[in-house]
Amino acid sequence: MNRTVIISSILVIIIFISLSCFFVMNEKEQGLVLQFGEPKRVVQDSGLHFKIPMIQNVVRYDRRILEYNLPVEEVIAVDKKRMLIDSFARFKIIDPLEFYKTVGNELNVRNRLNSNVISSLRRVVGRVTLDELLSDERSNIMDRIKVEVNDEAKRFGIEVIDVR
């Protein structure tokens, strides 16, 4: 009786350890394998992967396009007209390792994006008139904002897809 309990306990422990050696990454995710908080490898393909149990853990990031609605911002155009601009940005994580090192999570990247988009918005919109902003030139203005924000966003391991 005692021997059966010991053998079954050992079997349960072996099964638990062997199951915690594997993890599944689906097609919507990418991530990092961390060992005591230090990144060991980047996992960008879906499927079954191996990790060392109880020593390594997995941080998952979304691979899809993420959206961030910025707060309404007051901007002054070159013709001294005050405008309240409501904007949003779409981005995706392209380098999980750089993302982890610089911002760590989506909340922090949203805070960084907030300041970058607002400063770029003020800079670009501050050089145009209200008439230009309401004309066909609007898409070019938004593209300039996106390019400025994207240059800064690459440092965070993300790519800004769109700013509107």
Side-chain angles (χ1 to χ4, degrees):
M1 173 87 171
N2 230 359
R3 192 172 190 198
T4 317
V5 171
I6 292 173
I7 290 174
S8 60
S9 298
I10 291 173
L11 277 174
V12 167
I13 291 171
I14 290 173
I15 290 171
F16 174 75
I17 289 174
S18 64
L19 287 177
S20 63
C21 288
F22 299 101
F23 65 96
V24 176
M25 195 69 70
N26 70 34
E27 64 275 352
K28 299 176 197 168
E29 297 175 320
Q30 58 187 339
L32 294 171
V33 175
L34 304 177
Q35 184 170 322
F36 303 118
E38 291 292 319
K40 287 299 172 188
R41 71 176 193 272
V42 176
V43 180
Q44 289 190 311
D45 51 330
S46 59
L48 187 65
H49 300 279
F50 178 78
K51 69 178 180 75
I52 301 171
M54 294 178 274
I55 294 175
Q56 293 180 335
N57 64 326
V58 179
V59 176
R60 298 169 192 268
Y61 296 115
D62 207 327
R63 173 179 279 191
R64 298 174 291 185
I65 295 175
L66 306 169
E67 188 170 304
Y68 175 53
N69 291 316
L70 286 97
V72 176
E73 190 66 31
E74 184 175 338
V75 179
I76 302 172
V78 75
D79 56 356
K80 304 295 183 210
K81 305 263 177 152
R82 292 180 182 268
M83 298 172 277
L84 293 176
I85 297 181
D86 187 19
S87 58
F88 68 90
R90 290 186 180 141
F91 66 96
K92 68 189 256 184
I93 302 167
I94 56 171
D95 186 357
L97 182 59
E98 195 63 32
F99 185 82
Y100 178 78
K101 287 180 183 176
T102 56
V103 289
N105 59 39
E106 283 184 40
L107 179 64
N108 292 341
V109 81
R110 290 174 193 272
N111 291 335
R112 297 269 183 101
L113 265 180
N114 188 25
S115 62
N116 289 345
V117 171
I118 288 173
S119 64
S120 179
L121 186 71
R122 287 178 183 234
R123 204 171 23 255
V124 172
V125 173
R127 295 182 199 140
V128 297
T129 64
L130 180 61
D131 292 336
E132 288 175 313
L133 195 60
L134 298 176
S135 70
D136 293 336
E137 189 67 25
R138 183 178 185 160
S139 63
N140 292 336
I141 294 168
M142 287 186 282
D143 286 340
R144 281 188 274 171
I145 293 170
K146 182 183 93 170
V147 167
E148 277 191 25
V149 172
N150 215 2
D151 288 342
E152 186 69 23
K154 287 179 184 174
R155 293 184 317 126
F156 308 136
I158 64 172
E159 176 186 6
V160 176
I161 307 296
D162 195 13
V163 177
R164 297 278 172 200

